[in-house]
């Protein structure tokens, strides 16, 4: 499991974990993210049960376990949060922030000690020390209850499955040639994203934010001009069921 620093300003930093060479071949490669503040940390989309031991050892090399006070699950998928039952034992006093509509489903992954903090449909803000982390609605992209995480100081948007690409496990971390990258994203967005109006709504909402990096849960990070290129491309793409 590789670890990459994406942002650092004093005690505030962002890390990405991924490109796990040891993962079983048939499971999709995922990116996990961690925001660290002075005394707390938020672990985002911590991944599947298969990744748990690799993730735990990578994460505790960076921060002591008791500092990870918050977990975020953008939606209910197994590649996002099927490791929950094991995190429940590793981080029993933490709080899981996840869409309210998925609480009774996500609890099937096993959750005895962690506290579930349901995110309302309109989203909300988590403040850890001085760092504001906004849970931004991204419903139907692809899950019917789904959020992104935006950090206005780091100018990073953690976009979950939006911007995802199907890649080799040793793919570079950042998009290098946007046009070439389209092939790896197109089918994923057309098939997994069901609604054009939800997509266009999201693009409008995201264009208002100041963003240096869009960090998806699969594939590569969009940086600099590629952020706008991605928003333009996604806006123009027809997704989901095309009504005849
Ligand atoms: Fe998903
Ligand atoms: Fe995913």
């Amino acid at each position: 499991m590789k670890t990459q620093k994406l942002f650092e300003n004093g005690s505030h930093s962002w890390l990405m974990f991924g490109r796990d060479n040891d993962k079983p071949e048939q499971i999709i490669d995922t990116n996990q993210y961690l925001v660290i503040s002075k005394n707390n940390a938020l672990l985002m989309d911590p991944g599947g049960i298969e990744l748990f031991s690799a993730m735990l050892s990578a994460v505790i090399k960076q921060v002591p376990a008791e500092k990870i006070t918050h977990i975020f699950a953008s939606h209910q998928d197994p590649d996002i949060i099927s490791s929950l039952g094991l995190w429940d034992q590793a981080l029993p006093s933490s709080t899981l922030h996840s869409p309210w509509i998925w609480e009774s489903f996500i609890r099937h992954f096993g959750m005895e000690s962690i506290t579930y903090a349901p995110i309302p449909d309109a989203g909300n803000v988590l403040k850890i020390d001085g760092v504001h982390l906004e849970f931004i609605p991204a419903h139907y992209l692809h899950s019917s209850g789904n959020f992104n995480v935006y950090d206005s100081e780091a100018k990073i948007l953690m976009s979950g499955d939006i911007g995802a690409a199907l890649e080799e496990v040793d793919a570079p971390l950042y998009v290098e040639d946007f046009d070439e990258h389209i092939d790896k994203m197109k089918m994923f967005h057309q098939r997994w994203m069901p609604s054009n109006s939800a997509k266009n709504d999201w693009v409008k909402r995201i264009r208002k934010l100041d963003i240096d990096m869009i960090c998806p849960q699969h594939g590569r990070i969009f940086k600099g001009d590629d952020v706008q290129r991605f928003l333009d491309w996604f806006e123009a793409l027809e997704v989901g069921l095309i009504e005849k």
Side-chain angles (χ1 to χ4, degrees):
M1 181 76 68
K2 291 197 181 91
T3 303
Q4 172 76 31
K5 188 163 280 176
L6 302 177
F7 170 84
E8 187 168 31
N9 181 20
S11 57
H12 176 198
S13 59
W14 274 70
L15 296 173
M16 173 200 180
F17 303 90
R19 305 297 189 264
D20 182 15
N21 278 316
D22 301 325
K23 79 162 181 61
E25 224 175 274
Q26 293 90 343
I27 64 170
I28 187 167
D29 194 34
T30 54
N31 305 326
Q32 291 70 237
Y33 297 95
L34 185 72
V35 187
I36 305 168
S37 63
K38 193 165 182 283
N39 300 310
N40 295 274
L42 169 71
L43 179 61
M44 288 169 279
D45 287 354
I49 195 162
E50 297 269 8
L51 297 188
F52 174 76
S53 51
M55 265 302 285
L56 180 65
S57 62
V59 165
I60 58 174
K61 272 185 205 144
Q62 306 298 326
V63 287
E66 40 312 342
K67 197 170 167 177
I68 307 167
T69 44
H70 297 274
I71 303 173
F72 166 78
S74 59
H75 60 290
Q76 83 295 358
D77 268 345
D79 64 322
I80 298 281
I81 190 66
S82 66
S83 55
L84 181 61
L86 297 168
W87 289 109
D88 192 69
Q89 292 166 37
L91 309 173
S93 351
S94 61
T95 299
L96 173 67
H97 303 264
S98 206
W100 73 271
I101 66 163
W102 292 124
E103 177 169 358
S104 57
F105 295 71
I106 283 176
R107 283 182 179 276
H108 278 276
F109 290 130
M111 215 186 92
E112 280 178 15
S113 305
I114 289 176
T115 304
Y116 196 104
I119 308 174
D121 280 340
N124 59 15
V125 177
L126 169 69
K127 235 173 99 179
I128 47 170
D129 305 306
V131 177
H132 288 238
L133 299 162
E134 281 177 60
F135 300 136
I136 300 206
H139 306 309
Y140 299 99
L141 299 167
H142 65 98
S143 172
S144 48
N146 188 44
F147 291 93
N148 297 161
V149 181
Y150 176 61
D151 179 336
S152 58
E153 193 196 325
K155 299 184 183 173
I156 295 178
L157 180 77
M158 202 292 273
S159 60
D161 279 329
I162 305 168
L166 301 173
E167 293 260 19
E168 296 302 312
V169 72
D170 54 356
L173 228 53
Y174 296 99
V175 173
E176 288 161 1
D177 180 331
F178 187 84
D179 291 334
E180 231 172 66
H181 194 61
I182 288 174
D183 268 358
K184 298 179 183 127
M185 312 190 275
K186 198 171 173 187
M187 187 278 280
F188 188 99
H189 289 79
Q190 284 177 324
R191 183 65 199 262
W192 268 284
M193 307 286 167
S195 164
N196 280 308
S197 57
K199 166 187 68 86
N200 294 339
D201 223 51
W202 177 87
V203 172
K204 250 190 241 147
R205 190 154 50 246
I206 297 308
R207 283 195 194 282
K208 292 181 191 142
L209 306 174
D210 187 7
I211 298 174
D212 281 348
M213 267 187 237
I214 291 183
C215 298
Q217 190 232 351
H218 309 280
R220 304 189 196 192
I221 293 171
F222 302 86
K223 212 163 113 175
D225 292 344
D226 284 333
V227 169
Q228 287 313 313
R229 276 187 199 113
F230 174 73
L231 295 176
D232 293 345
W233 171 80
F234 192 36
E235 192 167 44
L237 186 74
E238 288 266 334
V239 300
L241 186 65
I242 310 296
E243 301 288 348
K244 299 231 166 74

